[in-house]
Amino acid sequence: MTTGDHGAAAPPGLDGTGLRIGVVRARWNSPIVDRLAAGVGRGLSSLGVRPEDVVDVEVPGSFELPMGARILAASGKVDAVICLGSVIRGETSHYDLVAGQAAAGIQEVQLATGVPVAFGILTTEDEAQALARSEDVGGHNVGYDTAVVAVEMARLAQQYPSSS
Ligand code: DLZ
């Protein structure tokens, strides 16, 4: 296993060359989401995904991430999608609703479309925890982890194309 500037590991030889990846970002808590997006950029680049093969779109908040993912997945223009958001319990009266619906919706989109969707939503008690999971080079960044997930799952889907 190889590791990058993060806490997760990529399978040996994982190569994203030629893959097209959609990134959907929530605007809520955008300073945190920007840090996740930087991690995604580092992760995709380390796996050989070219910047011109990355489609970047924004949605208002994490609740809209599944719909953003659905739009990209159904477009036929991406091999996998990454959803980025930050839901902070201390700042959100309906934390459980937003976080739960986002998670359930993302799973539904990937199972319904057959296009892998990586879950890059930080669900934390406070901002300090969110910062600790979206660190710069050398630290843990969940965005970086989702880049590895997206490439790994896109390759798996290519290896076993749907017969239906
Ligand atoms: C409304 C809301 C709240 C209170 N908190 C967050 C949050 O912490 N993180 C986030 O990504 N979005 C939040 N939102 C916005 C919802 O995701 C959604 O955009 C709105 O409810 C409109 O559908």
Side-chain angles (χ1 to χ4, degrees):
M1 304 290 258
T2 55
T3 55
D5 66 347
H6 60 102
L14 186 64
D15 180 13
T17 308
L19 287 179
R20 302 157 307 162
I21 307 292
V23 180
V24 190
R25 308 174 186 210
R27 276 195 301 277
W28 265 77
N29 297 323
S30 58
I32 301 289
V33 176
D34 288 348
R35 290 159 62 96
L36 292 172
V40 168
R42 291 196 296 276
L44 292 179
S45 162
S46 76
L47 294 168
V49 177
R50 295 173 305 203
E52 60 267 35
D53 288 330
V54 179
V55 179
D56 222 321
V57 301
E58 276 190 0
V59 295
S62 292
F63 190 79
E64 284 74 35
L65 285 170
M67 190 62 197
R70 171 82 172 74
I71 289 166
L72 288 188
S75 74
K77 294 191 171 149
V78 296
D79 299 298
V81 178
I82 297 169
C83 288
L84 300 178
S86 167
V87 190
I88 300 175
R89 189 187 293 275
E91 297 172 6
T92 303
S93 56
H94 41 311
Y95 169 93
D96 292 312
L97 192 62
V98 171
Q101 288 299 312
I106 284 170
Q107 185 67 280
E108 192 181 324
V109 168
Q110 65 172 348
L111 294 177
T113 62
V115 176
V117 183
F119 182 83
I121 305 174
L122 296 180
T123 53
T124 60
E125 296 299 319
D126 53 38
E127 188 181 17
Q129 287 181 349
L131 289 169
R133 294 170 199 173
S134 58
E135 290 180 325
D136 289 334
V137 177
H140 181 218
N141 188 305
V142 166
Y144 192 108
D145 298 344
T146 59
V148 175
V149 168
V151 169
E152 181 175 351
M153 295 304 290
R155 287 295 183 219
L156 184 62
Q158 283 182 334
Q159 205 179 340
Y160 298 98
S162 172
S163 60
S164 59

